[in-house]
mmCIF file of all heavy atoms in Angstrom:
data_model
loop_
_atom_site.group_PDB
_atom_site.id
_atom_site.type_symbol
_atom_site.label_atom_id
_atom_site.label_comp_id
_atom_site.label_asym_id
_atom_site.label_seq_id
_atom_site.Cartn_x
_atom_site.Cartn_y
_atom_site.Cartn_z
ATOM 1 N N ALA A 1 0.832 -1.194 -0.001
ATOM 2 C CA ALA A 1 0.000 -0.002 0.001
ATOM 3 C C ALA A 1 0.871 1.249 -0.002
ATOM 4 O O ALA A 1 1.913 1.289 0.642
ATOM 5 C CB ALA A 1 -0.915 0.003 1.212
ATOM 6 N N VAL A 2 0.440 2.236 -0.763
ATOM 7 C CA VAL A 2 1.138 3.528 -0.789
ATOM 8 C C VAL A 2 0.112 4.623 -0.541
ATOM 9 O O VAL A 2 -1.068 4.478 -0.813
ATOM 10 C CB VAL A 2 1.870 3.776 -2.132
ATOM 11 C CG1 VAL A 2 2.970 2.766 -2.359
ATOM 12 C CG2 VAL A 2 0.924 3.801 -3.296
ATOM 13 N N ASP A 3 0.617 5.727 0.002
ATOM 14 C CA ASP A 3 -0.231 6.891 0.220
ATOM 15 C C ASP A 3 -0.205 7.815 -0.993
ATOM 16 O O ASP A 3 -1.198 8.453 -1.326
ATOM 17 C CB ASP A 3 0.235 7.671 1.451
ATOM 18 C CG ASP A 3 0.157 6.842 2.720
ATOM 19 O OD1 ASP A 3 -0.888 6.200 2.940
ATOM 20 O OD2 ASP A 3 1.142 6.829 3.479
ATOM 21 N N ILE A 4 0.957 7.882 -1.635
ATOM 22 C CA ILE A 4 1.139 8.798 -2.756
ATOM 23 C C ILE A 4 1.866 8.083 -3.877
ATOM 24 O O ILE A 4 2.910 7.459 -3.664
ATOM 25 C CB ILE A 4 1.955 10.038 -2.333
ATOM 26 C CG1 ILE A 4 1.188 10.824 -1.267
ATOM 27 C CG2 ILE A 4 2.280 10.919 -3.530
ATOM 28 C CD1 ILE A 4 1.935 11.997 -0.711
ATOM 29 N N LEU A 5 1.323 8.205 -5.085
ATOM 30 C CA LEU A 5 1.968 7.688 -6.276
ATOM 31 C C LEU A 5 2.502 8.883 -7.054
ATOM 32 O O LEU A 5 1.753 9.787 -7.434
ATOM 33 C CB LEU A 5 0.972 6.914 -7.153
ATOM 34 C CG LEU A 5 1.499 6.419 -8.495
ATOM 35 C CD1 LEU A 5 2.595 5.394 -8.296
ATOM 36 C CD2 LEU A 5 0.365 5.862 -9.328
ATOM 37 N N VAL A 6 3.804 8.906 -7.267
ATOM 38 C CA VAL A 6 4.440 9.989 -8.014
ATOM 39 C C VAL A 6 4.762 9.449 -9.405
ATOM 40 O O VAL A 6 5.475 8.457 -9.539
ATOM 41 C CB VAL A 6 5.728 10.475 -7.310
ATOM 42 C CG1 VAL A 6 6.418 11.546 -8.135
ATOM 43 C CG2 VAL A 6 5.404 11.002 -5.916
ATOM 44 N N VAL A 7 4.236 10.116 -10.411
ATOM 45 C CA VAL A 7 4.475 9.696 -11.788
ATOM 46 C C VAL A 7 5.545 10.595 -12.379
ATOM 47 O O VAL A 7 5.328 11.794 -12.566
ATOM 48 C CB VAL A 7 3.174 9.771 -12.624
ATOM 49 C CG1 VAL A 7 3.437 9.346 -14.059
ATOM 50 C CG2 VAL A 7 2.092 8.897 -11.987
ATOM 51 N N GLY A 8 6.703 10.019 -12.626
ATOM 52 C CA GLY A 8 7.819 10.763 -13.182
ATOM 53 C C GLY A 8 8.943 10.924 -12.179
ATOM 54 O O GLY A 8 8.742 11.455 -11.094
ATOM 55 N N ALA A 9 10.129 10.425 -12.547
ATOM 56 C CA ALA A 9 11.279 10.472 -11.651
ATOM 57 C C ALA A 9 12.242 11.584 -12.039
ATOM 58 O O ALA A 9 13.452 11.470 -11.883
ATOM 59 C CB ALA A 9 11.988 9.127 -11.665
ATOM 60 N N GLY A 10 11.678 12.683 -12.515
ATOM 61 C CA GLY A 10 12.503 13.854 -12.808
ATOM 62 C C GLY A 10 12.736 14.660 -11.534
ATOM 63 O O GLY A 10 12.414 14.231 -10.426
ATOM 64 N N THR A 11 13.253 15.841 -11.710
ATOM 65 C CA THR A 11 13.566 16.701 -10.580
ATOM 66 C C THR A 11 12.338 16.993 -9.731
ATOM 67 O O THR A 11 12.374 16.882 -8.504
ATOM 68 C CB THR A 11 14.170 18.031 -11.083
ATOM 69 O OG1 THR A 11 15.259 17.743 -11.941
ATOM 70 C CG2 THR A 11 14.637 18.885 -9.936
ATOM 71 N N THR A 12 11.234 17.336 -10.348
ATOM 72 C CA THR A 12 10.023 17.671 -9.612
ATOM 73 C C THR A 12 9.446 16.459 -8.907
ATOM 74 O O THR A 12 9.093 16.516 -7.723
ATOM 75 C CB THR A 12 8.974 18.284 -10.559
ATOM 76 O OG1 THR A 12 9.527 19.447 -11.165
ATOM 77 C CG2 THR A 12 7.707 18.656 -9.810
ATOM 78 N N GLY A 13 9.345 15.345 -9.621
ATOM 79 C CA GLY A 13 8.786 14.132 -9.021
ATOM 80 C C GLY A 13 9.598 13.628 -7.841
ATOM 81 O O GLY A 13 9.050 13.262 -6.800
ATOM 82 N N LEU A 14 10.918 13.614 -7.983
ATOM 83 C CA LEU A 14 11.754 13.128 -6.889
ATOM 84 C C LEU A 14 11.728 14.078 -5.694
ATOM 85 O O LEU A 14 11.750 13.635 -4.550
ATOM 86 C CB LEU A 14 13.185 12.902 -7.380
ATOM 87 C CG LEU A 14 13.350 11.741 -8.377
ATOM 88 C CD1 LEU A 14 14.796 11.646 -8.838
ATOM 89 C CD2 LEU A 14 12.876 10.429 -7.783
ATOM 90 N N SER A 15 11.651 15.385 -5.959
ATOM 91 C CA SER A 15 11.545 16.342 -4.853
ATOM 92 C C SER A 15 10.231 16.149 -4.108
ATOM 93 O O SER A 15 10.197 16.171 -2.873
ATOM 94 C CB SER A 15 11.636 17.780 -5.371
ATOM 95 O OG SER A 15 12.907 18.019 -5.922
ATOM 96 N N LEU A 16 9.153 15.964 -4.852
ATOM 97 C CA LEU A 16 7.861 15.717 -4.224
ATOM 98 C C LEU A 16 7.895 14.433 -3.408
ATOM 99 O O LEU A 16 7.409 14.388 -2.275
ATOM 100 C CB LEU A 16 6.771 15.630 -5.295
ATOM 101 C CG LEU A 16 5.384 15.218 -4.799
ATOM 102 C CD1 LEU A 16 4.831 16.249 -3.834
ATOM 103 C CD2 LEU A 16 4.453 14.997 -5.963
ATOM 104 N N ALA A 17 8.495 13.389 -3.962
ATOM 105 C CA ALA A 17 8.583 12.112 -3.251
ATOM 106 C C ALA A 17 9.380 12.256 -1.962
ATOM 107 O O ALA A 17 8.997 11.715 -0.914
ATOM 108 C CB ALA A 17 9.214 11.052 -4.155
ATOM 109 N N LEU A 18 10.488 12.990 -2.001
ATOM 110 C CA LEU A 18 11.291 13.212 -0.797
ATOM 111 C C LEU A 18 10.498 13.958 0.269
ATOM 112 O O LEU A 18 10.529 13.606 1.453
ATOM 113 C CB LEU A 18 12.557 14.011 -1.129
ATOM 114 C CG LEU A 18 13.749 13.247 -1.650
ATOM 115 C CD1 LEU A 18 14.817 14.207 -2.150
ATOM 116 C CD2 LEU A 18 14.309 12.349 -0.569
ATOM 117 N N GLN A 19 9.780 15.002 -0.150
ATOM 118 C CA GLN A 19 9.013 15.783 0.817
ATOM 119 C C GLN A 19 7.887 14.951 1.426
ATOM 120 O O GLN A 19 7.649 15.001 2.632
ATOM 121 C CB GLN A 19 8.464 17.041 0.174
ATOM 122 C CG GLN A 19 9.521 18.077 -0.041
ATOM 123 C CD GLN A 19 8.955 19.398 -0.496
ATOM 124 O OE1 GLN A 19 7.935 19.455 -1.168
ATOM 125 N NE2 GLN A 19 9.630 20.466 -0.142
ATOM 126 N N ALA A 20 7.183 14.186 0.597
ATOM 127 C CA ALA A 20 6.095 13.348 1.104
ATOM 128 C C ALA A 20 6.633 12.296 2.072
ATOM 129 O O ALA A 20 6.057 12.045 3.131
ATOM 130 C CB ALA A 20 5.360 12.694 -0.060
ATOM 131 N N HIS A 21 7.747 11.679 1.708
ATOM 132 C CA HIS A 21 8.373 10.678 2.567
ATOM 133 C C HIS A 21 8.805 11.306 3.897
ATOM 134 O O HIS A 21 8.629 10.709 4.972
ATOM 135 C CB HIS A 21 9.549 10.029 1.854
ATOM 136 C CG HIS A 21 10.287 9.038 2.694
ATOM 137 N ND1 HIS A 21 9.794 7.802 2.981
ATOM 138 C CD2 HIS A 21 11.478 9.124 3.325
ATOM 139 C CE1 HIS A 21 10.645 7.153 3.752
ATOM 140 N NE2 HIS A 21 11.681 7.938 3.966
ATOM 141 N N ASP A 22 9.360 12.507 3.810
ATOM 142 C CA ASP A 22 9.801 13.217 5.008
ATOM 143 C C ASP A 22 8.637 13.504 5.958
ATOM 144 O O ASP A 22 8.820 13.592 7.164
ATOM 145 C CB ASP A 22 10.492 14.528 4.607
ATOM 146 C CG ASP A 22 11.207 15.195 5.767
ATOM 147 O OD1 ASP A 22 11.992 14.511 6.450
ATOM 148 O OD2 ASP A 22 10.975 16.395 5.983
ATOM 149 N N HIS A 23 7.431 13.604 5.414
ATOM 150 C CA HIS A 23 6.225 13.838 6.221
ATOM 151 C C HIS A 23 5.525 12.542 6.609
ATOM 152 O O HIS A 23 4.402 12.552 7.107
ATOM 153 C CB HIS A 23 5.269 14.766 5.484
ATOM 154 C CG HIS A 23 5.698 16.195 5.522
ATOM 155 N ND1 HIS A 23 6.652 16.693 4.659
ATOM 156 C CD2 HIS A 23 5.340 17.221 6.318
ATOM 157 C CE1 HIS A 23 6.842 17.968 4.929
ATOM 158 N NE2 HIS A 23 6.060 18.318 5.931
ATOM 159 N N GLY A 24 6.164 11.393 6.352
ATOM 160 C CA GLY A 24 5.634 10.120 6.814
ATOM 161 C C GLY A 24 4.783 9.359 5.822
ATOM 162 O O GLY A 24 4.233 8.305 6.155
#
């Protein structure tokens, strides 16, 4: 199970993924 699906591993997608992960 995931809370957030990020489509695209570019700069924006990876930054969003890091921030979401940092918030749990």
Side-chain angles (χ1 to χ4, degrees):
V2 296
D3 299 313
I4 297 176
L5 175 65
V6 177
V7 179
T11 307
T12 301
L14 292 178
S15 295
L16 173 63
L18 276 170
Q19 285 188 329
H21 177 74
D22 191 51
H23 284 81

